[in-house]
């Protein structure tokens, strides 16, 4: 039994830090990693909030891994601002590669809730393998001022 345990070494590490201030600001961060005979990986998470007049919050996380069959990464970010200008943002990406091919994907979304208005969305995907390759992309955008003009023109 002890020989079996020694044959499968595994190293794991993790850290976490949290802080808060009297001004209303707070943060939390955590990260870790693991390694064994079949691969290794790492991860992180971060959250912050600023309690000022405008108010800002953000979140991010990600992980990376590699093993005998391939490697990959994944990350996500989100943030918002609660002031007069408003705003939100989101980003996500994924990447991987293995013996049968590689691929990537990313998504972004953004909006602004202030007087300027606005929205945006982007997505792209790419892949390549032994049987072919492909790519696609999507974008969308709008502006609140343009929407008002379009609606007033349609409604007379």
């Amino acid at each position: 039994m002890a020989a079996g345990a020694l044959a499968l070494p595994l190293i794991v590490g993790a850290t976490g830090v949290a802080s808060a201030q009297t001004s209303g600001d707070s943060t939390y961060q955590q990260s870790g990693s693991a390694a064994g005979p079949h691969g290794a990986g790492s991860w992180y998470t971060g959250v912050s909030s600023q309690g000022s007049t405008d108010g800002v919050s953000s979140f991010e996380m990600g992980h990376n891994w590699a093993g005998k069959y391939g490697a990959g990464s994944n990350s996500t970010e989100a943030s918002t601002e609660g002031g007069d200008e408003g705003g939100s943002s989101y980003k996500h990406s994924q990447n991987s590669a293995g013996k049968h091919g590689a691929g990537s994907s990313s998504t972004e979304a953004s909006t602004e809730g202030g007087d300027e208005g606005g929205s945006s969305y982007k997505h792209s995907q790419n892949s390549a393998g032994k049987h072919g390759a492909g790519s696609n992309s999507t974008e969308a955008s709008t502006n609140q001022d343009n929407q008002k003009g379009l609606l007033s023109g349609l409604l007379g």
Side-chain angles (χ1 to χ4, degrees):
M1 176 82 170
L6 293 175
L8 297 173
L10 178 65
I11 300 169
V12 176
T15 63
V17 176
S19 68
Q21 300 173 355
T22 57
S23 67
D25 297 350
S26 60
T27 62
Y28 173 79
Q29 296 177 335
Q30 181 182 26
S31 63
S33 59
H38 300 290
S42 65
W43 63 91
Y44 67 90
T45 302
V47 180
S48 69
S49 176
Q50 298 174 357
S52 64
T53 307
D54 289 336
V56 177
S57 297
S58 67
F59 168 83
E60 63 181 296
M61 67 174 264
H63 63 271
N64 304 295
W65 59 269
K68 69 180 188 178
Y69 296 109
S73 67
N74 187 354
S75 70
T76 302
E77 300 176 20
S79 64
T80 186
E81 186 175 321
D84 294 337
E85 296 299 313
S88 295
S89 177
Y90 171 82
K91 294 180 182 181
H92 179 77
S93 66
Q94 276 182 290
N95 304 290
S96 63
K99 71 179 190 176
H100 296 293
S104 69
S105 173
S106 72
T107 302
E108 297 182 27
S110 180
T111 186
E112 198 172 305
D115 295 335
E116 298 298 315
S119 295
S120 181
Y121 167 81
K122 294 180 183 180
H123 178 78
S124 66
Q125 208 167 4
N126 304 290
S127 62
K130 67 181 187 178
H131 297 292
S135 177
N136 72 41
S137 178
T138 304
E139 292 190 34
S141 182
T142 185
N143 184 319
Q144 188 174 2
D145 292 337
N146 289 342
Q147 286 179 334
K148 289 179 185 176
L150 178 63
L151 286 175
S152 65
L154 290 173
L155 299 175

